[in-house]
Amino acid sequence: VDGFVRNAKGQFLRLQTANDSKNLDDIRRFCSAEMVGHIQMEWLERGQAAQETKVLSVDAQVLQVLTEDGQYIVTARYWGWVQEAAGAEAEAFNEAWHWTKPVQGNDGWTLAGIQPIEADAKPQA
C-alpha cells in the first residue's frame, strides 16, 4: 500500500502537468479511453486559455481494493491544495481516483475515473 500511495502521488502530479500542457500522448499512456475523452472535453471548454497548476500539497490514501472481472480495482483518495493560475487563490481538493490493472500480465495501472468527495463525507480508512 505504501508503494502504491507513493506512486499515486506521482501520477497525480503527472496528470496535472499533462493536463496543463494538453499532452494527449502522455495522458493516453495511463488513462482509460473514457478519461481521455473527459479530459479532451475539459480542454474544449478551456479553449486557448493557459493553465498552469501549482500543486501546493497532495496526499493520498487507499480506500478500497477489489478484484473483479480479471482486474484489480483500487480507489484512492487524493486531497490537498492547488493553485490553477499565477496569483489565484489556493483551492482545496478532495477526490476519489479509480485505478485498474489486469490481474494477469504486466500492464501498468490505468486511471479509469475521478469523482469529487463531498466535504462532509467521511472517507473509509
Side-chain angles (χ1 to χ4, degrees), residues 101-116:
K101 178 179 178 177
V103 171
Q104 301 293 321
N106 294 322
D107 292 345
W109 290 97
T110 299
L111 180 59
I114 299 174
Q115 64 189 123

Side-chain angles (χ1 to χ4, degrees), residues 22-37:
K22 296 184 178 178
N23 185 341
L24 189 58
D25 289 335
D26 191 34
I27 288 171
R28 283 186 173 139
R29 287 187 181 101
F30 67 98
C31 291
S32 69
E34 293 81 11
M35 278 300 303
V36 170

Side-chain angles (χ1 to χ4, degrees), residues 8 13-14 18 21-22 31-32 36 41 43-45 47 53-54 62 67-68 70 73 85 94-95 116-117 121-122:
L13 298 171
R14 180 180 178 187
S21 64
K22 296 184 178 178
C31 291
S32 69
V36 170
M41 290 299 295
W43 291 351
L44 287 173
E45 292 171 8
T53 304
K54 183 175 181 182
V62 172
T67 304
E68 185 177 293
I73 303 168
N94 189 15
E95 302 171 333
I117 296 175
K122 302 288 186 219

Side-chain angles (χ1 to χ4, degrees), residues 19-119:
N19 184 42
D20 287 351
S21 64
K22 296 184 178 178
N23 185 341
L24 189 58
D25 289 335
D26 191 34
I27 288 171
R28 283 186 173 139
R29 287 187 181 101
F30 67 98
C31 291
S32 69
E34 293 81 11
M35 278 300 303
V36 170
H38 177 76
I39 291 167
Q40 288 179 305
M41 290 299 295
E42 288 181 352
W43 291 351
L44 287 173
E45 292 171 8
R46 187 167 90 199
Q48 297 302 316
Q51 181 171 307
E52 186 175 335
T53 304
K54 183 175 181 182
V55 178
L56 305 175
S57 68
V58 60
D59 213 340
Q61 76 181 108
V62 172
L63 298 178
Q64 185 177 46
V65 179
L66 301 170
T67 304
E68 185 177 293
D69 296 328
Q71 291 192 46
Y72 295 117
I73 303 168
V74 174
T75 300
R77 174 184 172 227
Y78 292 79
W79 71 96
W81 293 88
V82 294
Q83 184 180 27
E84 292 190 341
E89 294 274 332
E91 297 178 28
F93 65 91
N94 189 15
E95 302 171 333
W97 287 28
H98 306 286
W99 294 94
T100 62
K101 178 179 178 177
V103 171
Q104 301 293 321
N106 294 322
D107 292 345
W109 290 97
T110 299
L111 180 59
I114 299 174
Q115 64 189 123
I117 296 175
E118 299 299 322

